[in-house]
């Protein structure tokens, strides 16, 4: 009897102990949940603030002027070309001569016949050689400036395309995530209908396969988005990679009308080619001047050791173009100028063709985008109606899956149409020699 009572009392204490433990664990869990609930908004706010630091396209383009390796390279080339111009204006250095004569000669009356002469020779370039050299370097500087403008416009187009691609990949990821969510919903609905006996097991298998494919597409979209953001970060020389595009760019790029007064000379590619041709022509003039003589003027002083007397010396020297008249150098410079002229002509023809093509592509991209947006709106309505019909048992699962795929494809086509529009505008920007995406350059 006592053993039974002891067991009962022990069992009662055990139940009380378990209840106490459960209450303690519940209290601890509630406190942890409370702390998590307090910390979660803070973490979300921190994540949001970090995401908000991603600059807009115009801001990123302005920052890239001092951080992008491509632009820094062009800036260094410009500074080097400017230094070459300043260096070309420098005069030739004088020459200091020291001559000791009559060393070891017989002494006259016991007096050394040694003579020491100290002279400075300054060479003057005749025939406009210095002016031709300065002009050649100035033309090179102008060509470097044309190349820099070409590079800046090209970089603006590359950045616009990279920014748009990153945003497009991000939108594709969002579409893939939404597709995966809809696929999970369809799977649950199919399983419910199979369980109710309204659908065959094959429908559930089809829904599972569709859901698996949707999740795989979502993972692929996430990888593509990361790759596009990494490329964008590398292009602008960002110290830390971007994680998200928070400022819309694809949908905000406005249509840019063509220039009414456009001429091929405004294209940066043609301007750079013409500047290169001018630089080569200046090289021809410099090569022609090379055969002109250089005049050297020498002024010095001679000291006689036997009397310590001094005398002034004056001399003139000139180079004679007897064996080297730089004829082949002139011929080579002319051929290089001819080659540059042909490149300029090819650039002119290519500029005309690219402008016509860019105009056609820009107009076609606008029409394509309008059609894609209309198709996406129709596909959204079709999926909404199809889902209502499927829930009501009036639409087959196969038909619903086809409608859902059509919706995803329509959204993907809209994203691709917006990306193609940015690509066409980048080509038009290069063809017309203006930046249609921002104020820089």
């Amino acid at each position: 009897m006592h053993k039974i009572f002891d067991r009962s009392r022990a069992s009662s204490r055990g139940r009380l102990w378990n209840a106490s433990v459960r209450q303690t664990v519940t209290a601890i869990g509630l406190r942890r949940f409370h702390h998590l609930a307090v910390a979660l908004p803070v973490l979300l706010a921190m994540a949001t603030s970090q995401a908000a630091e991603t600059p807009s396209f115009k801001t990123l383009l302005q920052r890239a002027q001092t951080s992008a390796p491509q632009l820094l390279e062009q800036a260094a080339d410009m500074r080097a070309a400017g230094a070459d111009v300043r260096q070309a204006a420098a005069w030739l250095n004088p020459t200091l001569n020291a001559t000791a004569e009559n060393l070891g000669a017989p002494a006259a009356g016991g007096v050394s016949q040694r003579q020491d002469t100290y002279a400075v020779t300054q060479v003057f370039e005749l025939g406009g050689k210095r002016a031709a050299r300065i002009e050649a370097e100035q033309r090179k500087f102008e060509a470097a400036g044309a190349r820099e403008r070409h590079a800046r416009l090209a970089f603006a187009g590359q950045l616009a395309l990279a920014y748009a691609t990153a945003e497009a990949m991000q939108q594709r990821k969002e579409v893939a995530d939404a597709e995966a969510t809809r696929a999970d919903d369809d799977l649950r609905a199919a399983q419910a209908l199979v369980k109710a006996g309204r659908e065959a097991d094959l429908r559930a298998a089809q829904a599972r396969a569709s859901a698996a494919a949707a999740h795989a597409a979502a993972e692929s979209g996430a990888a593509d988005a990361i790759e596009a953001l990494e490329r964008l970060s590398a292009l602008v020389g960002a110290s830390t990679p971007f994680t998200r595009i928070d400022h819309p760019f694809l949908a905000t790029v406005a249509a840019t009308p063509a220039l009414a007064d456009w001429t091929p000379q405004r294209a940066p590619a043609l301007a750079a080619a013409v500047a290169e041709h001018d630089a080569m022509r200046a090289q021809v003039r410099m090569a022609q001047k090379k055969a002109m003589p250089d005049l050297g003027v020498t002024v010095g002083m001679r000291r006689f050791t036997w009397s310590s007397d001094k005398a002034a010396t004056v001399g003139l020297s000139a180079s004679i173009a007897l064996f080297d008249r730089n004829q082949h150098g002139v011929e080579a410079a002319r051929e290089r100028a001819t080659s540059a002229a042909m490149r300029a002509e090819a650039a002119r023809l290519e500029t005309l063709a690219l402008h016509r093509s860019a105009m056609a592509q820009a107009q076609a991209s606008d029409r394509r985008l309008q059609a894609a947006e209309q198709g996406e709106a129709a596909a959204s309505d079709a999926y909404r109606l199809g889902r209502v019909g499927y829930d009501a048992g009036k639409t087959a699962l196969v038909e619903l899956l086809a409608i859902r795929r059509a919706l995803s494809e329509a959204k993907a086509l809209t994203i691709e149409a917006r990306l193609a529009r940015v690509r066409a505008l980048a080509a038009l920007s290069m063809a017309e020699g203006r930046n249609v995406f921002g104020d820089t350059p």
Side-chain angles (χ1 to χ4, degrees):
M1 183 68 179
H2 291 290
K3 292 180 179 180
I4 295 174
F5 179 75
D6 291 339
R7 291 196 191 98
S8 176
R9 186 165 53 186
S11 177
S12 178
R13 285 198 301 268
R15 286 194 297 271
L16 291 174
W17 169 258
N18 292 335
S20 177
V21 170
R22 285 196 298 271
Q23 291 176 359
T24 303
V25 172
T26 302
I28 294 174
L30 289 175
R31 284 196 298 271
R32 289 181 177 176
F33 178 77
H34 176 71
H35 293 326
L36 181 61
V38 173
L40 185 58
V42 178
L43 294 175
L44 290 177
M46 292 175 61
T48 303
S49 63
Q50 291 177 356
E53 292 178 358
T54 303
S56 63
F57 171 75
K58 289 186 177 181
T59 302
L60 188 61
L61 180 58
Q62 293 175 353
R63 293 181 183 178
Q65 305 304 312
T66 57
S67 62
Q70 296 182 18
L71 300 183
L72 294 179
E73 175 188 358
Q74 293 299 322
D77 290 341
M78 277 294 296
R79 293 192 298 269
D84 287 337
V85 173
R86 295 189 297 270
Q87 180 61 38
W91 294 91
L92 297 180
N93 290 324
T95 302
L96 176 63
N97 299 316
T99 305
E101 301 180 52
N102 299 330
L103 296 178
V111 179
S112 174
Q113 299 300 308
R114 176 177 174 178
Q115 300 178 12
D116 296 330
T117 304
Y118 303 93
V120 175
T121 303
Q122 177 65 54
V123 177
F124 297 94
E125 297 172 303
L126 302 180
K129 295 172 68 174
R130 179 172 174 270
R133 183 176 67 251
I134 295 175
E135 182 187 4
E137 295 299 334
Q138 182 65 36
R139 296 300 181 184
K140 288 183 180 180
F141 177 76
E142 295 173 359
R147 288 194 300 270
E148 184 191 26
R149 173 165 173 75
H150 182 274
R152 288 187 179 277
L153 279 173
F155 179 82
Q158 292 175 8
L159 182 60
L161 188 56
Y163 199 97
T165 301
E167 185 181 2
M169 295 302 104
Q170 181 175 297
Q171 292 180 0
R172 286 180 181 177
K173 176 184 176 299
E174 294 172 355
V175 170
D177 291 341
E179 174 71 9
T181 301
R182 285 192 295 267
D184 292 337
D185 294 339
D186 295 341
L187 175 59
R188 286 190 292 270
Q191 290 173 344
L193 293 176
V194 170
K195 186 176 181 181
R198 296 171 56 186
E199 288 282 4
D201 292 339
L202 177 61
R203 303 307 182 194
Q206 291 175 339
R208 282 194 296 271
S210 179
H215 284 284
E219 294 294 333
S220 177
D224 292 340
I226 293 175
E227 179 184 2
L229 288 170
E230 290 290 343
R231 290 181 179 274
L232 177 63
S233 304
L235 181 62
V236 299
S239 57
T240 56
F242 301 126
T243 57
R244 181 175 175 80
I245 300 296
D246 297 305
H247 302 275
F249 177 69
L250 282 172
T252 58
V253 178
T256 303
L259 292 176
D261 57 345
W262 179 84
T263 58
Q265 285 72 21
R266 299 190 60 171
L270 179 57
V274 172
E276 291 286 350
H277 180 222
D278 293 340
M280 290 296 103
R281 292 174 60 187
Q283 291 288 330
V284 173
R285 289 189 290 272
M286 188 176 69
Q288 291 173 341
K289 299 290 184 179
K290 190 174 181 180
M292 300 295 295
D294 293 334
L295 178 64
V297 179
T298 303
V299 177
M301 182 270 295
R302 178 171 296 173
R303 185 174 66 88
F304 305 97
T305 58
W306 61 84
S307 63
S308 299
D309 292 335
K310 299 178 182 179
T313 61
V314 177
L316 295 176
S317 63
S319 60
I320 302 175
L322 182 60
F323 301 106
D324 182 10
R325 297 183 179 181
N326 200 35
Q327 295 176 349
H328 299 295
V330 173
E331 182 182 359
R334 285 175 176 170
E335 293 299 331
R336 293 189 185 97
T338 302
S339 176
M342 294 301 100
R343 287 196 299 271
E345 179 63 17
R348 187 186 69 83
L349 297 176
E350 185 177 2
T351 296
L352 292 173
L354 288 178
H355 184 257
R356 291 191 294 265
S357 175
M359 287 289 298
Q361 290 293 336
Q363 295 173 0
S365 65
D366 289 336
R367 293 191 296 268
R368 177 185 176 185
L369 179 57
Q370 293 176 0
E373 290 176 345
Q374 294 174 0
E376 181 182 353
S380 298
D381 292 338
Y383 180 76
R384 180 180 57 81
L385 296 175
R387 186 57 191 265
V388 171
Y390 181 75
D391 293 338
K394 297 181 181 180
T395 303
L397 177 62
V398 176
E399 184 177 354
L400 179 64
L401 294 178
I403 295 174
R404 194 187 72 215
R405 284 194 299 270
L407 175 59
S408 298
E409 291 174 357
K411 290 185 175 181
L413 285 176
T414 301
I415 296 173
E416 180 60 31
R418 288 173 178 167
L419 184 59
R421 185 167 175 268
V422 172
R423 189 180 296 110
L425 289 177
L428 182 63
S429 177
M430 286 298 298
E432 293 190 344
R434 56 174 179 152
N435 182 15
V436 300
F437 300 108
D439 299 332
T440 303

